[in-house]
Amino acid sequence: MLTTAHIDRVVAAALDEDAPWGDLTSAYLLPADAVASAALVAREAGVFSGGEVFAAAFRLTDPAVQVRLHLDDGASFREGDTLATVSGPARSVLTAERIGLNFVQRMSGVATLTRRFVDEVTHTGARIADTRKTTPGLRALERHAVRSGGGHNHRFSLSDAVMAKDNHLAVLVASHPSLTPSAAITQSLQAAIARLPHTTHVEVEVDRLDQIDAVLAAGVDTIMLDNFTVDDLRRGVERVAGRATVEASGGVSLATVRAIAETGVDVIAVGALTHSAPALDLGLDMRVELADGS
Amino acid sequence: MLTTAHIDRVVAAALDEDAPWGDLTSAYLLPADAVASAALVAREAGVFSGGEVFAAAFRLTDPAVQVRLHLDDGASFREGDTLATVSGPARSVLTAERIGLNFVQRMSGVATLTRRFVDEVTHTGARIADTRKTTPGLRALERHAVRSGGGHNHRFSLSDAVMAKDNHLAVLVASHPSLTPSAAITQSLQAAIARLPHTTHVEVEVDRLDQIDAVLAAGVDTIMLDNFTVDDLRRGVERVAGRATVEASGGVSLATVRAIAETGVDVIAVGALTHSAPALDLGLDMRVELADGS
Amino acid sequence: MLTTAHIDRVVAAALDEDAPWGDLTSAYLLPADAVASAALVAREAGVFSGGEVFAAAFRLTDPAVQVRLHLDDGASFREGDTLATVSGPARSVLTAERIGLNFVQRMSGVATLTRRFVDEVTHTGARIADTRKTTPGLRALERHAVRSGGGHNHRFSLSDAVMAKDNHLAVLVASHPSLTPSAAITQSLQAAIARLPHTTHVEVEVDRLDQIDAVLAAGVDTIMLDNFTVDDLRRGVERVAGRATVEASGGVSLATVRAIAETGVDVIAVGALTHSAPALDLGLDMRVELADGS
Amino acid sequence: MLTTAHIDRVVAAALDEDAPWGDLTSAYLLPADAVASAALVAREAGVFSGGEVFAAAFRLTDPAVQVRLHLDDGASFREGDTLATVSGPARSVLTAERIGLNFVQRMSGVATLTRRFVDEVTHTGARIADTRKTTPGLRALERHAVRSGGGHNHRFSLSDAVMAKDNHLAVLVASHPSLTPSAAITQSLQAAIARLPHTTHVEVEVDRLDQIDAVLAAGVDTIMLDNFTVDDLRRGVERVAGRATVEASGGVSLATVRAIAETGVDVIAVGALTHSAPALDLGLDMRVELADGS
Amino acid sequence: MLTTAHIDRVVAAALDEDAPWGDLTSAYLLPADAVASAALVAREAGVFSGGEVFAAAFRLTDPAVQVRLHLDDGASFREGDTLATVSGPARSVLTAERIGLNFVQRMSGVATLTRRFVDEVTHTGARIADTRKTTPGLRALERHAVRSGGGHNHRFSLSDAVMAKDNHLAVLVASHPSLTPSAAITQSLQAAIARLPHTTHVEVEVDRLDQIDAVLAAGVDTIMLDNFTVDDLRRGVERVAGRATVEASGGVSLATVRAIAETGVDVIAVGALTHSAPALDLGLDMRVELADGS
Amino acid sequence: MLTTAHIDRVVAAALDEDAPWGDLTSAYLLPADAVASAALVAREAGVFSGGEVFAAAFRLTDPAVQVRLHLDDGASFREGDTLATVSGPARSVLTAERIGLNFVQRMSGVATLTRRFVDEVTHTGARIADTRKTTPGLRALERHAVRSGGGHNHRFSLSDAVMAKDNHLAVLVASHPSLTPSAAITQSLQAAIARLPHTTHVEVEVDRLDQIDAVLAAGVDTIMLDNFTVDDLRRGVERVAGRATVEASGGVSLATVRAIAETGVDVIAVGALTHSAPALDLGLDMRVELADGS
């Protein structure tokens, strides 16, 4: 769902960062006519993501390198599986290797962690969603990786949905000293909704159960219950009673996500999907061919 | 050690990624004249890094926002400490918040993890070094964060040192079918060293103890022992016997790093410093002021 | 609601486009020490938009030029009103003049046309909304101008809301040959909604009244009635009966918008706001001062 | 006459603006294997411009999409004509559609309006010329569109010809208090011409007939008569008497251009060509094909 | 005459090229609190150019560094003169030094060489002009430097004047097989002039005296006599007889330029001004101050 | 050793600089269907460099142009040799000509000058190395050209090796007022080396023989003898006695380089290679073909 233009722009910048003056090792050590093929091999099981980005790293280093992807993004693989094959001039293959791997390891790492969260909650109706805690410059790729893992995307940026958090509500309350806090929040939200694009989803974060009614009164689309205990999440779901989507956020881990999902919340936001996913261990195994074909 | 121009370029791109059409929540919900101050507060202990980058996020959103840093990069802090204060138009403060946090959380996360590794080995002569497994586009910032944590930088890119790995050696051996593998490696390395910039450090990765002599014979600067057991690392250090710097790499974790360091290696490369450091939990606590100063 | 970084990037590119080798006329004709002040004067009445962008054109040409804005974006003005004053080196003022004017004339043109549409429908509940028919590279600025004029923004890009049009529905029908067209559409939409981000608003375009039920059955948020007669719009509003937001689109002009609004639709999309708004006639009137202050 | 590199840079930026996170509608609603062909069809008659730019929108979204242009830029077409055909993955075709259309509609709109002006004056020797009132970032494309319409380009930027306007002359007069206004203008222009690149055309705007002699005395190439009545234009042409090119500017519309041309002026500058041309109504009609070829 | 935005863009890119990961020497070797002042000193006499660019190198490295320029661009200086002073953190001063010097040395080198050519011909009416043989990416700066040296700019790019060279004429002749070469050239030039922007200067290169008439017949503005002997240049000037500007080009050096100028040509194009000017020897002399002010 | 992405970025920027609005001469003068082939011919003997860059200039102007390189970078050629052939639409060939030539002339000029220096010293063990005195934006290309000429690269940037110069040492001495200058230098260097990346080569410049011991005591890798006489260079080599690499710098010319090399230094840094190499005289000779193949 990403354009070629977007992928190429991000990958070209990464290559220039990693080889501003070229790759000394390849250029000085390897014969110019050595040809190599290489297999992208999984050193651990996981979920694949970033195939097109991996391929672009080689193409933008040297159009003479060919990449064939064996899996679609989103496919699972086991340790030892071959995910892609690369062939071309040995120098170019090795120059592009690390950047290709950096992207596909990171993206597959995000996809794989996402899948683990998703697998914990499939028996419930809850969806696992990402957050804006992404790597600067790579958000589109990381969001793609979350989808590869079966997760759902949350709003992409500050520009495509409203998310009013505690800090916003604090400003609202302070700015309307003549109103009760509840009234300040309800009235401000209503006024905003009247002016926002009609396509804008409005989500509001609450810290306590007793804030829910003021928010619901404004007609918001989603209520986010921030850092609630499992018991309070359950009470929150009951209180909302279907009048809005319910999102749980804060302190979600693989150890807690199942219990959270079983409270009946609709969405579970997990910042760790993108800000703390370990890169997946994928490697490039070379097979060298001599220039004379032997 | 980074230029203002570099920081501004990276941060401006991140802001445009996160608010391509502006921040709907701030713009529609908050009064234009609300003024806020906010404290960057540590929700967990750690090592600070990225202060200038954090400040740039606010300055490039709105020059009317002021940021004061309380700590220098590299300073330790405890849970609850205030690391910086921000003040200005409430809308702008909240628009820049997430990007400012994304950078400083990531960078402080890298610094903090680095410090933990460093603390494990201070009784030895070993240094903890980063790798090229960095986030595309952010390598300069992440390398800075490693330094903030007391770690050492490894080569920055493919362009500033030679690192011959197993794949390179495989190409060399295959390209010289008339030579023994050892001779192919030694001669190729010698030929490269004769042509490389005289400022280029040459490092070669070996997988087995019996490869060390062929590499040393070429006069390399550093030998990297890849995925060696602790016992083999000790044997490797003995075999090198001071003729080159010895670097350990592969499978290094907080659980293993102390034993690795005690083998006598000089450098321990830890990819996890940058590719898997969890973002540190830092938050922005708002204090709202009314426009009339109350 | 736009960041300084965004405005500066767009304006700097425009300056480099207009003066790749500098401004020959100013540089060769005017004395280096001539100082000028200038007034941005309205040659026709309108609605102001783009003040910060206008100011940036001068600041990025020469920081010695000062700009003072007399109006906030969104304010109305009459023919002859002074909207801003500029002062500094005469050469720099005249170099930046056209780019500053190009932006503010375009943005104020959009704001003014928007206001005319808005004024036609204020007695109804309908909102005037823009479309994606914006100038490549300037969408954020043009959307800001629509807001200045009292209009509402529609989705900003392909990434922040679903808008299924006739071409999409044609693909859906053709891709499910075993289903009736209605069933193909309903089921496909339901499947998409289940996987879309929960913050994504879903809008579907219909060309005929009898398509409405199939779309509503899928639970969409907005139905867009494309190129309907006024009578059919009224029938469409009745048929939807509050189950979704109703948007009218196609062939909307100042001559027709009032009747369209009075049918009870919620949103009226007007591509002309951005793709065909004439630039507003604003001019820069100079007052020259001699360097010796006389 | 534009390079592929230029077109690709502008179009890639537009795609990233319109689909920063991809196209939700295509990606979530359409089957991955649906293939479509589409025709670019004229909903109104006009002059074609922007074919290569239109094609680039699809190619940079997905190289698997093929575009075939049926007309050269500059060709006329009637309502209902097919201008180009597009075929490839349905998702990609629909993702690129709006950006492709935005460019070709804008450019063909400029070309068509230009042609209307040109048609009014073909019986005279006058040429229709554009101005610097172009869209920031798109000047090269819009100037190309003017040429497609049979118009002539004026200077491209501040850097390729001198155009001294009323504001410049006011600075000159004020800067030479010891000279008469006429002498100040003549002498300043002569001094500039002596230093300007010998390839630089010098054009000066006058507001009154009695300014002509002072300007001609300096040896300028073109005199621009700004906002003159038709009668005064005729008198101006007589006064210049072939000693310079004569350009009319200000208040030119389709209603007035013929009479202006018949005064004998050489060039008529029309800002509306680029700043106010309505986008032409072109649409993309889809024909869907199933993946199995049926 | 260059905008701040242009200078900053070029200098920021140069800084990122020279210090992608910062300046190791300054950062590791110098105390953070060392303060330094430095003088830009001429190691040889010359003409100054690039003052603002020099200053930008320091400002974009660290806004805490102050630069004061002692000379305006275009001023002459002697060996030993101080051209500018710089003060601020020692680390930042030394990080920016080389980039600042690279620009000012190159620009002053161009200005100085230009002045030498200009000085040879001041007794004639001939002007020294640059060419398009500039450094990719730096043309605007190098053209500014030519002006600093008292030279004149030629056309800036392919877009602002016509220059028909031997290769163009060869295409014309071959494309009109039914015409004589002279007629092919005359008619083609006339047709082009009729369609070119009226502000476009038309220059044609001839290789032989007998080509002059065909070119003049078309009404061109400048005739360029390419690689003519001094005697033939004189004959060419006579033959043109004031009907066009006459430019000499090819094989111009400091040894030959005086004789060329004395033939009566109007313009002498010297590619060497920008493609082969040696960098001027300017150095930065440091004065270190201790942080405690001693 | 440069990536396609890097070359394309630099060349596309150069094309946009040289033809911001296209090439007027080609577009207005040449028939659209004229086809041409052209030969890149050496007007003087030299060493080839920049073949891929030359080809990119044509490809990025118009993919229909084909370029075939006859020589590899680094090959020598004689006056009159054909280095490459180009064929395609005549307009596009002529539009790209100057940019293609600018790059290949500059790069081959650097390569050729480098080869002349190298040829002077081949009987010694000394290597000719470049410096950071490169053209802003083109360093990677110019360093490639030095390699084409048989020269060696020095450090690429401030980020990949330490080079402590007189200004750095002055700061060190002033910052340690309680130490002798020698001790300040030795201790500061030792402290830096302990913290620098282990891959960082440390080079220190000395101005006098008596500084050598203090620097060697710190364990640096290279000593640079700056502006030494030939006799002092010989004494310096003796004093270092193999304990570090010895580099000579300052005042190196073709007239002096042989004597310098014969002193026994290891490296000779020559700024002139990149900052003052004259562009090589290469030209494009056209052969025109008619569209009908005749």
Side-chain angles (χ1 to χ4, degrees), chain D residues 63-191:
Chain D
V65 180
Q66 304 292 322
V67 176
R68 192 165 64 82
L69 301 171
H70 297 209
L71 272 73
D72 287 332
D73 282 12
S76 294
F77 53 82
R78 288 175 300 186
E79 184 184 336
D81 282 359
T82 294
L83 312 180
T85 46
V86 178
S87 59
R91 286 181 171 180
S92 301
V93 169
L94 284 166
T95 295
E97 174 188 13
R98 170 51 42 213
I99 291 304
L101 286 175
N102 272 2
F103 278 112
V104 78
Q105 288 181 319
R106 167 179 296 269
M107 292 178 72
S108 297
V110 169
T112 302
L113 181 59
T114 300
R115 182 67 54 88
R116 292 181 65 194
F117 275 93
V118 169
D119 286 348
E120 291 289 322
V121 306
T122 39
H123 63 298
T124 72
R127 48 169 63 185
I128 299 299
D130 50 28
T131 69
R132 282 169 50 244
K133 296 178 181 174
T134 55
T135 309
L138 302 186
R139 186 175 291 171
L141 300 186
E142 292 180 349
R143 292 300 184 93
H144 173 89
V146 166
R147 293 192 298 269
S148 297
H152 287 74
N153 292 140
H154 208 298
R155 66 169 177 167
F156 290 97
S157 76
L158 293 171
S159 302
D160 55 81
V162 162
M163 172 89 81
K165 303 195 174 183
D166 53 352
N167 282 338
H168 296 96
L169 300 187
V171 175
L172 292 184
V173 170
S175 302
H176 297 84
S178 63
L179 297 178
T180 64
S182 286
I185 290 171
T186 304
Q187 292 179 21
S188 296
L189 286 169
Q190 284 173 328

Side-chain angles (χ1 to χ4, degrees), chain B residues 1-6 9 139-140 143 147 151-153 156-157 160, chain E residues 12 15-16 19-24 27-28 59-63 95:
Chain B
M1 147 170 163
L2 299 172
T3 61
T4 295
H6 183 95
R9 177 172 61 78
R139 186 175 291 171
R143 291 301 184 92
R147 293 193 297 269
H152 287 73
N153 293 142
F156 291 98
S157 76
D160 56 82
Chain E
L15 287 170
D16 236 14
W21 327 102
D23 175 4
L24 296 178
Y28 282 89
R59 172 170 45 83
L60 293 171
T61 295
D62 182 351
T95 296

Side-chain angles (χ1 to χ4, degrees), chain A residues 3-170:
Chain A
T3 61
T4 294
H6 182 95
I7 291 172
D8 284 10
R9 177 172 60 78
V10 174
V11 174
L15 286 171
D16 237 14
E17 184 187 52
D18 194 39
W21 327 102
D23 175 4
L24 297 178
T25 311
S26 281
Y28 282 89
L29 200 56
L30 306 186
D33 58 358
V35 171
S37 65
L40 177 66
V41 177
R43 310 257 192 262
E44 58 179 316
V47 176
F48 192 58
S49 188
E52 292 297 335
V53 183
F54 176 77
F58 293 91
R59 173 171 44 84
L60 293 171
T61 295
D62 182 351
V65 180
Q66 303 294 321
V67 176
R68 193 166 63 81
L69 301 171
H70 297 210
L71 273 73
D72 287 332
D73 282 12
S76 294
F77 54 81
R78 288 175 299 185
E79 183 185 336
D81 282 0
T82 294
L83 312 179
T85 46
V86 178
S87 60
R91 287 181 171 179
S92 301
V93 169
L94 282 167
T95 295
E97 174 189 12
R98 171 52 42 214
I99 292 302
L101 286 174
N102 272 2
F103 278 112
V104 77
Q105 286 180 319
R106 170 180 294 268
M107 291 178 71
S108 297
V110 169
T112 302
L113 181 60
T114 300
R115 182 68 54 87
R116 293 181 64 192
F117 275 93
V118 168
D119 286 347
E120 289 290 322
V121 306
T122 37
H123 62 295
T124 71
R127 50 168 62 186
I128 299 299
D130 50 28
T131 69
R132 282 171 48 245
K133 295 178 183 173
T134 55
T135 309
L138 302 186
R139 187 176 290 171
L141 299 186
E142 293 180 348
R143 292 302 184 92
H144 173 89
V146 166
R147 294 192 297 271
S148 296
H152 287 74
N153 293 141
H154 208 295
R155 67 168 175 167
F156 290 98
S157 77
L158 293 170
S159 301
D160 56 80
V162 162
M163 172 89 80
K165 301 195 175 183
D166 52 353
N167 281 338
H168 295 95
L169 301 187

Side-chain angles (χ1 to χ4, degrees), chain E residues 174-248:
Chain E
S175 301
H176 297 84
S178 62
L179 297 178
T180 64
S182 286
I185 290 171
T186 304
Q187 292 180 20
S188 296
L189 285 168
Q190 285 173 327
I193 290 169
R195 293 183 301 117
L196 277 161
H198 71 281
T199 59
T200 302
H201 189 94
V202 176
E203 176 164 344
V204 179
E205 172 189 301
V206 297
D207 299 322
R208 302 187 315 273
L209 286 167
D210 61 16
Q211 294 172 313
I212 290 177
D213 289 334
V215 169
L216 280 180
V220 306
D221 300 295
T222 294
I223 289 206
M224 194 241 266
L225 309 179
D226 191 46
N227 278 314
F228 275 45
T229 64
V230 165
D231 282 347
D232 276 351
L233 282 175
R234 194 171 294 113
R235 286 187 199 101
V237 170
E238 283 165 15
R239 190 142 185 175
V240 175
R243 290 176 291 170
T245 299
V246 179
E247 174 177 333

Side-chain angles (χ1 to χ4, degrees), chain F residues 224-238:
Chain F
M224 194 240 267
L225 309 179
D226 191 45
N227 279 314
F228 276 45
T229 63
V230 166
D231 282 348
D232 276 352
L233 282 176
R234 193 171 294 113
R235 287 187 199 100
V237 171
E238 284 167 14

Side-chain angles (χ1 to χ4, degrees), chain F residues 22 78 85 94 118 130 190-191 201 210 238 243 255 259 276 293:
Chain F
R78 288 175 298 185
T85 46
L94 283 167
V118 168
D130 50 27
Q190 285 173 326
H201 190 95
D210 61 15
E238 284 167 14
R243 289 174 291 168
S276 299

Side-chain angles (χ1 to χ4, degrees), chain C residues 35-39 41 82 84-88 90 284-290, chain D residues 167 170-171 174:
Chain C
V35 171
S37 65
V41 176
T82 293
T85 46
V86 178
S87 60
L284 206 63
D285 292 345
M286 295 275 292
R287 271 187 302 277
V288 185
E289 298 156 44
L290 296 186
Chain D
N167 282 338
V171 175

